[in-house]
Amino acid sequence: MSSSGLEDFPPRRYTEEPLPAYRHVPGYSPHPVNDEAGHSHDRHDHEEGCPLTDARWQDCATYLYGVDLFNQEFFWEAHESWEPLWHAAGHRSGPGLFVQGLIQIAAAFLLARTQRPNAVPRMLERAERNLRRAVAAHLPEGTQTPFGIDLDRWVPAVETYLGATLAGQAPERFPFIELRL
């Protein structure tokens, strides 16, 4: 790996959906839906979510688009993309807990971006707890990459990246979600 960390940029895209015009950061940009200047104002194509199962996650365009958004650092938008999946799956189901964990990781990045460093570790703790609970209690035994994500590799990379960011250091590499299809 080069010291710049850019050898894998741009990251692989999993959908062909266009990216929003800007990355929404609360308090710094127009609200995407509620503000007339928002990038998604008056959009009525909000997907309700598709069935997200460990066996069929590759077919869920909403999930994959959320990964694309996260990987391009559209953290608020990734959260919005994944939220219907969380509701459709059921908040306490395995898929629901897993998606909630992803939403919480996106929220941690957004908190770091909005200069709320004290909230980031708590959000990461909640995210990791939900991801691990989803795998331990609800997914088939021996699942190595739930919903295509190698959690043993990705979660520590997220923690390292955010830790360096909060310490004022330049992180080496953004922790892209690299799905195992």
Side-chain angles (χ1 to χ4, degrees), residues 60-95:
C60 185
T62 304
Y63 173 70
L64 298 175
Y65 186 53
V67 171
D68 283 345
L69 290 165
F70 180 88
N71 283 347
Q72 297 291 332
E73 301 185 44
F74 286 87
F75 304 122
W76 186 90
E77 292 81 0
H79 164 244
E80 288 295 302
S81 180
W82 287 325
E83 191 162 357
L85 298 176
W86 179 50
H87 293 302
H91 295 184
R92 296 291 163 226
S93 72

Side-chain angles (χ1 to χ4, degrees), residues 137-151:
H138 301 282
L139 296 175
E141 188 174 333
T143 300
Q144 298 297 315
T145 55
F147 304 101
I149 301 174
D150 182 348
L151 293 178

